[in-house]
Amino acid sequence: MQSLTQSSEATLSPQYKRILADLAIFGGKPAFASALHVGRPNIGNRERLLARINDLLDRRWLTNNGPFVQEFERRVADFLGVKHCVAMCNATIALEIATRALGLHGEVIVPSFTFVATAHALQWQEITPVFCDVDPATHNLDPNKVEALITPRTTGIIGVHVWGRPCAIEALEEIAERRGLKLMFDAAHAFGNSYKGRMIGNFGAAEVFSFHATKFFNTFEGGAVVTNNDDLATKMRLMKNFGFAGYDTVIYVGTNGKMSEVSAAMGLTGLESLDEFIAANRRNYLAYRDGLQGIPGIRLMAYDESERCNYQYIIVEVDEAAAGLSRDDLVKVLHAENVLARRYFYPGCHEMEPYHSYFPHAGLLLPETKRLTQRVMSLPTGTAVGPEEIAVVCQIIRLAVAHSGEVRRRLEGRTGDRQL
């Protein structure tokens, strides 16, 4: 391996000098003793959180629209500049309630390049998700492809702000208005982001946020629907609480979508540290941008720094022809080093069940989606990761690409690789 040392040394930063033999796939010790995860939870100020938990325990008001939930809804609405925030137990239930409250039925156009919950929320209510291709530059729903999918059964469009980067909002609004369709957005990735100076949350009939533990801002488990429509907000508040309009009066079909007090306590604590979380994400994004610069076939997805942004995801596209390694090859290399990079959104909703069985030929209309599912990976970030760890991750990628032929041969000869 000595010749490889000489050829690779010049490309390595002083922070992290390794030779090819040091890589874990070549028998070296993993770079990290414990795993670096994508989406390791941010916690915020533990003392304030515990004080709130003690407060709710003393009150013995644990759920059913308690004071922390009410405060959380007010704080989120004020932060986003919207009239209504309806907190929910999770974003999937929030999607289901929002689509039902909007009266969606028949067919609804959605991207396949999204987390499967977007499609499941429709299918669970016997609404057919019609998968539309995405723009290869933005990874978001391509409005130029939407129109051709509209049929007499289409009642709505759900755009997804993938990675927190806003959809083509005006184009989708124009199509929806002209064709008499409802428009809402899955904004699971986009809390704290803006579009042309307006906060995400103010577009479409409603927008749904996820506050799952893996999101940069979390409520342990939770979500919310935000809207500027008074009637829609009233309907969703009924629906998330079994349709109760009073102590023992049910006036609407509903379910249990309520956020608990302890989740709201976590949310209030996280809101107080929101700027800190975003600053850490931005610091990491810039570190990755510098560390990955110039590596053949590796393209870091860029954020629009003129807008408010949470920098929540570090997304890399791998061009196999230029890098000499596929995305999956690099994921295997990183996993061996205890860097648990993720393939998003592999293999696409249309390839998952029941959709693959229902629509076996959907992929013919989704060439960009298919391409992205083979190229995209997400790298660790958040407050649990810093510039030192990022320098190591980037140099592992740089070293692997610099010696792609040797790495590929070693991967082909390995058995028992961690399941991707």
Side-chain angles (χ1 to χ4, degrees):
M1 296 290 179
Q2 188 60 38
S3 63
L4 298 178
T5 305
Q6 295 170 353
S7 65
S8 64
E9 186 76 14
T11 68
L12 299 181
S13 74
Q15 298 161 291
Y16 180 63
K17 289 185 179 292
R18 296 180 73 175
I19 63 175
L20 195 63
D22 290 331
L23 291 180
I25 62 164
F26 284 89
K29 184 179 179 181
F32 298 97
S34 57
L36 295 188
H37 292 272
V38 172
R40 190 171 185 185
N42 294 325
I43 302 301
N45 187 296
R46 190 172 302 214
E47 288 73 24
R48 291 178 185 172
L49 173 61
L50 294 176
R52 286 185 167 108
I53 291 174
N54 283 327
D55 186 7
L56 72 89
L57 292 175
D58 289 341
R59 283 198 308 266
R60 297 176 185 260
W61 192 345
L62 306 184
T63 187
N64 287 352
N65 199 36
F68 282 155
V69 167
Q70 294 177 45
E71 181 184 356
F72 178 73
E73 290 183 336
R74 288 193 300 270
R75 293 273 301 276
V76 169
D78 289 345
F79 174 66
L80 298 177
V82 298
K83 292 176 69 175
H84 305 284
C85 168
V86 185
M88 304 274 189
C89 58
N90 60 61
T92 304
I93 293 294
L95 281 166
E96 292 173 5
I97 287 176
T99 57
R100 192 176 182 93
L102 281 169
L104 297 181
H105 60 277
E107 297 176 351
V108 172
I109 296 170
V110 295
S112 176
F113 194 70
T114 181
F115 186 56
V116 73
T118 312
H120 279 354
L122 296 169
Q123 188 65 45
W124 191 260
Q125 300 175 88
E126 299 184 343
I127 300 170
T128 301
V130 175
F131 296 119
C132 183
D133 212 1
V134 294
D135 183 320
T138 68
H139 300 184
N140 286 326
L141 200 62
D142 186 345
N144 295 317
K145 304 290 177 60
V146 169
E147 194 105 26
L149 298 176
I150 297 173
T151 74
R153 297 189 69 241
T154 307
T155 59
I157 303 167
I158 298 180
V160 182
H161 303 305
V162 175
W163 321 131
R165 302 198 304 179
C167 288
I169 291 173
E170 289 97 343
L172 294 175
E173 286 177 335
E174 190 279 329
I175 293 170
E177 183 175 359
R178 177 164 47 81
R179 300 299 295 266
L181 305 175
K182 303 287 179 59
L183 174 66
M184 61 177 285
F185 292 99
D186 180 337
H189 295 178
F191 187 73
N193 293 2
S194 68
Y195 177 71
K196 295 187 175 179
R198 293 177 67 196
M199 296 298 286
I200 296 295
N202 285 277
F203 303 99
E207 301 206 55
V208 176
F209 292 105
S210 172
F211 304 137
H212 184 263
T214 57
K215 300 299 185 288
F216 90 102
F217 167 74
N218 74 84
T219 61
F220 295 133
E221 178 77 83
V225 186
V226 299
T227 183
N228 290 308
N229 184 310
D230 297 340
D231 292 338
L232 186 62
T234 298
K235 188 181 292 187
M236 290 190 295
R237 290 193 187 281
L238 285 168
M239 293 175 70
K240 77 165 184 174
N241 189 31
F242 306 102
F244 274 98
Y247 187 75
D248 54 6
T249 303
V250 174
I251 64 171
Y252 205 83
V253 174
T255 187
N256 186 358
K258 300 186 298 293
M259 176 180 280
S260 70
E261 280 291 273
V262 72
S263 288
M266 180 64 167
L268 290 168
T269 305
L271 285 173
E272 293 166 349
S273 297
L274 202 67
D275 290 343
E276 173 192 333
F277 298 157
I278 293 174
N281 286 348
R282 184 174 186 276
R283 173 202 67 199
N284 292 349
Y285 164 70
L286 295 176
Y288 274 114
R289 189 177 68 182
D290 292 343
L292 296 173
Q293 188 171 11
I295 303 178
I298 304 298
R299 185 175 78 87
L300 178 68
M301 184 201 69
Y303 289 105
D304 182 353
E305 296 193 59
S306 70
E307 297 281 359
R308 293 187 64 160
C309 183
N310 60 35
Y311 299 95
Q312 180 174 189
Y313 291 93
I314 300 297
I315 300 299
V316 170
E317 279 192 54
V318 181
D319 180 346
E320 182 175 358
L325 295 171
S326 70
R327 184 273 316 277
D328 288 356
D329 291 335
L330 279 174
V331 169
K332 289 176 182 177
V333 169
L334 290 167
H335 278 204
E337 304 286 351
N338 257 336
V339 180
L340 303 189
R342 295 286 305 275
R343 305 184 293 181
Y344 281 175
F345 289 101
Y346 181 84
C349 291
H350 68 287
E351 293 287 357
M352 298 178 176
E353 294 298 345
Y355 314 109
H356 181 69
S357 294
Y358 289 169
F359 318 116
H361 305 298
L364 296 175
L365 298 176
L366 304 169
E368 297 299 340
T369 297
K370 181 177 181 180
R371 188 183 70 89
L372 286 177
T373 62
Q374 302 297 322
R375 292 167 62 102
V376 166
M377 68 176 176
S378 181
L379 297 174
T381 186
T383 56
V385 180
E388 185 176 341
E389 291 86 1
I390 290 168
V392 174
V393 173
C394 292
Q395 292 299 349
I396 291 168
I397 295 172
R398 186 177 295 275
L399 185 58
V401 170
H403 301 288
S404 57
E406 292 91 339
V407 169
R408 194 162 231 170
R409 282 191 289 274
R410 176 54 62 101
L411 288 173
E412 290 171 353
R414 279 168 60 93
T415 59
D417 280 320
R418 187 185 308 219
Q419 193 71 24
L420 294 184

